[in-house]
Amino acid sequence: MMGLMASDETRTETRTETRTDTGTEGRTQGRAGGGGVSEVPGEASATRAWTTWTTRLLILGIVLAAVNLRPAITSLGALLEEVRDGLGMSGSVAGLLTSVPPLCFAVFGVTAPRLARRFGPGAVVCAGMVAITAGLLIRPYAGGTGGFLAATALALMGIAVSNVLMPVIVKRYFPDRVGSMTGLYSMALAFGTSVAAAATVPLTGALGGHWQPGLAVWAVLPALAVLPWIPFVRNRKAPASTAPSTPLPEGERSAGKPAEQPPLRITRSRTAWALAVFFGLQATAAYITMGWMAQIFRDSGVSAGTAGLLLAVIMVMGVPLAFVIPRVATRLPHQGPIVVVLGVCGLAGYAGLYFAPVGGAWAWALLLGVSNCAFPLALTMVGMRARTGAGVAQLSAFAQSTGYLISIPGPLLVGVLYQHSGGWGLPIALMSALMVPQIVVGVLAGRDRTVEDEAAR
């Protein structure tokens, strides 16, 4: 896969270098959305360097980072009952624990663009992988609920900044392949999510049956993910042929100074708000699923191992679909039909979970897995609803931070409803009800327009 993308990069840059625009003082004209490149001495050699090992290393880094964006959550979901018993948590406190991920994503995710401007996106993602490693190592042995929550928050801080910067990095370094690269890292994200859900219980058994090493073992993956990002810690520039840019004013072209783009008034964009609410509602469903779905199956009479496998099935559906959906979405003028299909699958899955949670468990897991692919669709729309890299950075931070704030009450409310009703009927009804507005705002977010145009009105 990485070799294919690297060869595609070579072909893209060859086409870019051979197409010149004689009307703009020798600047080459890239493909739509790719921007232009100045013909500066030494730039060709830098471009060639980026077409070989650097590009492949960056793709490897993106894939490994994406693999680590969910195991901290799904591994905990698979062992939630054991963690609750070991730490003496009530149902409400466990609900609070499942709400910590979106809270941290909202609080820390909004800082990602500022950190990226100061230190470079590669350095921020590298630091994020270090934070994930430390948090996952510390939390099982922190001693008490408070320490467990604090260490979990440290890991989630690293996930939060990486979450926001993934679409930015894709738009910046691969502007001509937003769909395929978004699909690649979404597929890697789904793979890591499903593997953690399926393997946590067996690994715990193999490590002596104690939940602490069963959770701590997942620190190995982010430790490995640090390595490919180290060369990018000091590299803040995109490769010459793929760095998105906008035409410079005449007075600044000769001076070689970049034109400063004022920040967008992102809150004036209806599309940005629709995308933020869509992101928030799909995140609500996702974190309820990751935090509670294994417990729903276990309380219905399914064994712990099988419940973990069912959760893994829900997550593993994102592996192929997360690669296909972004590629299809970028070819459609309106992504609303995809939103509707995913929403209908979610409603059908929740209905089956209510009426026959055990008899049709595998079918409901498949349907809910399809519905969960609203996440890669949302990420793809972030890249499509802005024209520039700066616009994508602002939209990504706004949509994800606002969306995760919206999603915070969902998992907590599910825990409260479960504890006070003594069953899963009300929580499942809540999940179904939230799917309807998710479809509506998703259709609005899928319209063919950009936040730059709306924010300028």
Side-chain angles (χ1 to χ4, degrees), residues 45 98-99 124 150 153 168 189 196 208 213 226 230 240 266 298-299 325 356 358 363 369 404 419 431:
S45 61
T98 58
S99 292
V124 177
V168 177
L189 188 152
V226 171
I230 293 175
I266 198 76
R298 289 177 71 170
D299 287 351
I325 288 176
V358 178
Y404 285 127
Q419 181 168 335
M431 297 180 226

Side-chain angles (χ1 to χ4, degrees), residues 113 117 167-169 171-172 244-246 259-264 266 382 385-398 451-452:
R117 286 194 299 270
V168 177
I169 289 171
K171 184 76 170 183
R172 182 179 184 181
S245 62
T246 54
E260 291 291 333
Q261 297 295 323
L264 295 172
I266 198 76
V382 167
R385 298 287 87 89
R387 287 195 303 269
T388 64
V392 172
Q394 278 192 260
L395 179 58
S396 180
F398 175 75
V451 293
E452 286 91 348

